[in-house]
Amino acid sequence: MTIDNISQAKVCGGWHKQYTHQSQSLNGVARFAIFLPPNASKATPVPVLYWLSGLTCTDENFMQKAGALRKAAELGIAIVAPDTSPRGEGVADDDNYDLGQGAGFYLNATQKPWAQHYQMYDYITAELPKIIEEHFPVTSVKSISGHSMGGHGAITIGLKNSSNYRSISAFSPISNPMGCPWGQKAFSAYLGSDVESWKQYDSSELLKQAKSELPILVDQGDADGFLTEQLKPEALIEAAKVHASPVEVRMQPGYDHSYYFISSFIDEHLAFHAKHLA
């Protein structure tokens, strides 16, 4: 697999780099960013935290706004941030921000016209890690995290692939997409009208089915404008009780849905993952 370096910058003693490549899963060109801490080398490969961003975001939002790179450099953790969807000419899209390009929902679409490109689940779980481990000084040890739509993706992917990750965390995740407007719109378009097929991509439904084998940390701001209608952390909390899953949901007073919130607690999330990646 050939990857093309399109930008790079030294930061916190390490390197932030962006790449594009031809993706088989997405049937087109994909982009990702990677932060390599100062100690990463062929002699000392490092573990990886995969970060999944939210609606309308790209690989750039987290790397530029979260303030995570100094702590990641200190802990010796690489961070990989993929784009949030396939993009480009010929890729299906929608006029609204919550469907189509920028809104892949980290699932494998089954419905036309989305199925041709929108295979984000396969891309995140299989194709991207293979590329990262082939081209960079990293180990196969990894954890996963994300924000909003990406928090939904991080939890569902971690739950469904527990042998591939060490820990899961999320900021303001869409915890019960089957029960909120964002999720219902996306799932109807990407997966069709069979609601049973939606359950495989709903964190709360997955936790009702089985106990999480991985520790999960969730931070949610209580001043988040999407809290009640879209995010529904209470559904995740109740689902975790069914099998006593190791899920900690922290409600943070006064915080909203923005990267100001993420940057306030990202160091704690990185420390949480570092403990399990070790």
Side-chain angles (χ1 to χ4, degrees):
M1 171 70 70
T2 300
I3 61 174
D4 297 312
N5 180 215
I6 59 172
S7 75
Q8 63 180 26
K10 191 166 186 179
V11 53
C12 299
W15 288 92
H16 170 273
K17 301 184 179 185
Q18 281 181 308
Y19 291 86
T20 58
H21 68 97
Q22 189 69 31
S23 168
Q24 294 182 351
S25 302
L26 306 182
N27 194 22
V29 175
R31 190 175 78 183
F32 67 86
I34 184 169
F35 170 71
L36 292 168
N39 65 317
S41 69
K42 289 184 178 180
T44 58
V46 297
V48 184
L49 177 66
Y50 285 82
W51 173 270
L52 308 183
S53 293
L55 289 168
T56 75
C57 291
T58 69
D59 62 289
E60 294 181 340
N61 296 72
F62 177 80
M63 293 298 199
Q64 295 181 7
K65 296 180 179 180
L69 305 187
R70 186 176 301 280
K71 188 66 172 180
E74 174 191 323
L75 295 171
I77 298 173
I79 301 176
V80 171
D83 203 347
T84 51
S85 77
R87 297 181 193 266
E89 187 176 350
V91 176
D93 200 8
D94 188 85
D95 290 337
N96 296 299
Y97 75 96
D98 52 358
L99 186 67
Q101 295 186 36
F105 270 82
Y106 305 102
L107 50 73
N108 285 341
T110 59
Q111 305 299 301
K112 294 180 179 181
W114 311 102
Q116 182 180 0
H117 298 282
Y118 285 74
Q119 304 296 311
M120 286 297 293
Y121 179 86
D122 283 352
Y123 180 68
I124 298 299
T125 59
E127 184 176 6
L128 183 59
K130 183 178 180 181
I131 291 170
I132 298 301
E133 290 164 24
E134 177 182 344
H135 290 277
F136 300 100
V138 301
T139 69
S140 61
V141 177
K142 52 188 175 290
S143 291
I144 192 164
S145 185
H147 171 233
S148 194
M149 177 185 72
H152 138 76
I155 298 174
T156 56
I157 286 171
L159 290 173
K160 289 160 65 70
N161 300 272
S162 59
S163 62
N164 293 338
Y165 301 95
R166 296 288 182 86
S167 51
I168 306 167
S169 78
F171 289 85
S172 315
I174 303 174
S175 297
N176 185 204
M178 293 179 64
C180 77
W182 279 342
Q184 291 166 352
K185 180 177 180 177
F187 287 6
S188 294
Y190 297 143
L191 303 175
S193 59
D194 180 9
V195 176
E196 282 298 309
S197 72
W198 298 6
K199 291 183 178 180
Q200 63 181 309
Y201 298 114
D202 187 302
S203 301
S204 296
E205 291 297 326
L206 291 172
L207 283 172
K208 290 177 185 178
Q209 295 171 18
K211 181 176 182 177
S212 173
E213 297 181 25
L214 301 178
I216 302 174
L217 173 64
V218 174
D219 271 319
Q220 172 66 61
D222 71 0
D224 190 322
F226 301 114
L227 177 61
T228 302
E229 183 180 27
Q230 303 283 11
L231 305 180
K232 301 186 180 297
E234 68 281 356
L236 189 72
I237 293 169
E238 291 304 311
K241 293 177 181 178
V242 175
H243 298 287
S245 292
V247 179
E248 180 182 7
V249 178
R250 309 189 304 189
M251 190 64 68
Q252 303 291 2
Y255 287 92
D256 59 17
H257 199 71
S258 72
Y259 268 84
Y260 295 114
F261 171 44
I262 296 170
S263 65
S264 298
F265 297 97
I266 191 61
D267 284 5
E268 294 178 29
H269 281 240
L270 288 168
F272 164 78
H273 290 297
K275 179 175 65 175
H276 298 288
L277 289 167

